[in-house]
Amino acid sequence: ETFAKFYEDIGFDPIFIEKEVFNVDDKYAGRLDLLATLTEDGLGKLKPYLIGKVDDLVPGNYIIDIKTGTVYIKECAEQLAAYMGAAARLSEILETKTKCAGGLILNISRKQVDSIQVHYVSRLELVEAFDVFKASIKKWQYHKAPQWWLKQFK
């Protein structure tokens, strides 16, 4: 209920909702919560919810992840970056223009059900986080990827 009101008030224009995305080149898949366009008006309505720096927030498409527990910004940024990489690939396939302006982590409190905090992750931070994410995949493959998983890419 809190999220539905927040979503309507901000005026998100959804591109994908609960969309399975994949990146064959880097060998991963996931399900992003929301890829939506935010207008100047929507960003203005979003500002009271924002935590931290927001000086380069611009209208555009945002990868959005919804969390209900503790938010670890760097780890969430890696997840958003992975979605961005997969959504960019999907965009190429669908021939749409879904370049991301950045990412948003929506933290809905379990204790205060009417409380939403939004953490902004810039496009530059997402690009950097994507490199970290890809390194994590490589490390996982090297250390403990099951043989059945590795064989499917040969």
Side-chain angles (χ1 to χ4, degrees), residues 31-103:
R31 182 186 299 262
L32 65 84
D33 290 339
L34 180 62
L35 173 62
T37 303
L38 278 169
T39 64
E40 189 74 45
D41 184 51
L43 290 175
K45 293 175 181 175
L46 185 67
K47 285 192 177 176
Y49 297 94
L50 287 163
I51 304 296
K53 74 166 192 63
V54 295
D55 43 333
D56 59 345
L57 197 62
V58 295
N61 299 323
Y62 286 83
I63 296 279
I64 300 165
D65 197 46
I66 302 166
K67 302 290 187 194
T68 57
T70 303
V71 172
Y72 299 99
I73 302 301
K74 294 288 188 184
E75 286 81 358
C76 291
E78 285 182 54
Q79 183 181 4
L80 288 171
Y83 292 149
M84 181 184 72
R89 182 74 179 113
L90 183 61
S91 175
E92 292 168 15
I93 293 166
L94 298 176
E95 297 180 3
T96 59
K97 301 210 180 332
T98 56
K99 183 176 178 180
C100 291

Side-chain angles (χ1 to χ4, degrees), residues 1-2 5 15 20 25-26 28 32 40-42 46 52 54-55 62 70 103 112 116-117 132 147 152:
E1 187 175 301
T2 298
K5 182 180 178 338
I15 298 168
E20 291 176 357
D25 298 333
D26 293 312
Y28 71 90
L32 65 84
E40 189 74 45
D41 184 51
L46 185 67
V54 295
D55 43 333
Y62 286 83
T70 303
Q112 295 177 302
I116 296 179
Q117 294 181 332
V132 174
Q147 288 304 308
Q152 68 184 332

